[in-house]
Amino acid sequence: MSAPEDTQPGLDRREFLTLAGVAGVGLLAPTLFPLSEALAADPLETAALPYAMNALEPVISARTLEFHYGKHHAGYAANVKKMIPGSGLEGRSMEDIVRVTAVMPDKAALFNNAAQCYNHAFYWKCMKPGGGGMPTGKLMSAITASFGGYDAFRKAFLDGSVGRFGSGWGWLVQEGGKLKFVSTSNAETPLTHAAVTPLLVVDVWEHAYYLDYQNRRADYVGAFLDKLVNWDFVAANMK
């Protein structure tokens, strides 16, 4: 595995549109969570982890985070920093860069790297030491209404994330008054779709879990749900 992987154009955005059930790209999608919590003060630098490198052990090892955060995420941020000069996007936030380049085929490499920065920043916030288990309150009520209960949600999220062919992400999103699971490939992100609000994401690129779980993606996603999810963060993303 090399870092970063997302430097080539040619992603098929129609796949996400079909999965999410939305009609098009929304460049004016609202901020999904405060930029100060998502990205670095300088948007072209790597956002800080919200916990220590070893804080998620034994579910995710410090060794994995050293590579995943310290090499992959940092590599995407470094690529964005190199591509911004002369792009016309100088001084824009990472969120704006993602939204604008999503519909610019000539900026596909910039989109891939910026979207990976955003997706990773969101992923780090979705976890906390001692997290996981069942949510409560409004979020739990929405899960029950949309999936029929927590067990059905867990199965949909687990099966969908494990079933993602190749590299990508498994998301719990809100669309209108309902929650649903969607899977995106490579660097694709719900940030570019105004009708969809992401609530929770798991990274299923191999570099997210291979040092700890090898090819056992299901074990990794199951442990993520049962032992790591930061449900307070997820609930705060709801509209």
Side-chain angles (χ1 to χ4, degrees):
M1 295 181 292
S2 60
E5 293 113 320
D6 282 350
T7 57
Q8 299 300 318
L11 297 180
D12 186 357
R13 285 155 176 71
R14 290 175 297 178
E15 179 181 14
F16 178 77
L17 292 174
T18 300
L19 286 167
V22 296
V25 174
L27 296 182
L28 300 179
T31 298
L32 302 176
F33 51 98
L35 188 63
S36 61
E37 294 186 10
L39 303 168
D42 178 350
L44 302 188
E45 300 295 341
T46 311
L49 277 177
Y51 30 72
M53 284 280 189
N54 65 351
L56 304 182
E57 291 184 334
V59 183
I60 296 178
S61 67
R63 182 70 168 159
T64 287
L65 286 186
E66 287 167 5
F67 280 97
H68 193 179
Y69 172 76
K71 301 294 184 180
H72 291 276
H73 187 174
Y76 299 130
N79 279 345
V80 172
K81 196 170 187 176
K82 291 175 186 176
M83 296 176 191
I84 286 297
S87 68
L89 296 170
E90 294 85 351
R92 305 288 287 270
S93 71
M94 195 71 79
E95 290 171 311
D96 285 346
I97 293 168
V98 172
R99 292 181 182 127
V100 170
T101 58
V103 292
M104 301 174 69
D106 62 323
K107 294 287 193 294
L110 178 53
F111 168 81
N112 289 344
N113 283 274
Q116 282 293 76
C117 287
Y118 182 85
N119 288 351
H120 278 90
F122 198 100
Y123 170 66
W124 306 134
K125 297 293 290 185
C126 285
M127 298 182 287
K128 69 176 183 179
M134 293 175 60
T136 59
K138 179 183 175 182
L139 176 57
M140 186 65 220
S141 296
I143 286 175
T144 299
S146 298
F147 292 92
Y150 180 79
D151 289 345
F153 154 73
R154 187 184 185 282
K155 185 178 189 308
F157 192 95
L158 181 66
D159 290 351
S161 299
V162 173
R164 158 53 60 186
F165 183 77
S167 300
W169 306 81
W171 302 85
L172 174 66
V173 303
Q174 183 178 16
E175 184 179 3
K178 291 205 67 176
L179 307 187
K180 62 168 66 174
F181 173 84
V182 296
S183 173
T184 61
S185 64
N186 297 319
E188 290 299 312
T189 174
L191 179 64
T192 60
H193 302 273
V196 178
T197 300
L199 306 180
L200 171 69
V201 70
V202 64
D203 186 343
V204 291
W205 284 70
E206 285 189 346
H207 62 242
Y209 61 88
Y210 217 82
L211 290 179
D212 298 325
Y213 296 89
Q214 291 77 53
N215 65 330
R216 303 189 310 276
R217 184 187 281 185
D219 290 350
Y220 155 68
V221 177
F224 169 86
L225 289 169
D226 296 341
K227 300 178 181 179
L228 290 182
V229 174
N230 182 351
W231 289 117
D232 291 336
F233 173 74
V234 178
N237 292 322
M238 293 182 67
K239 289 185 177 180

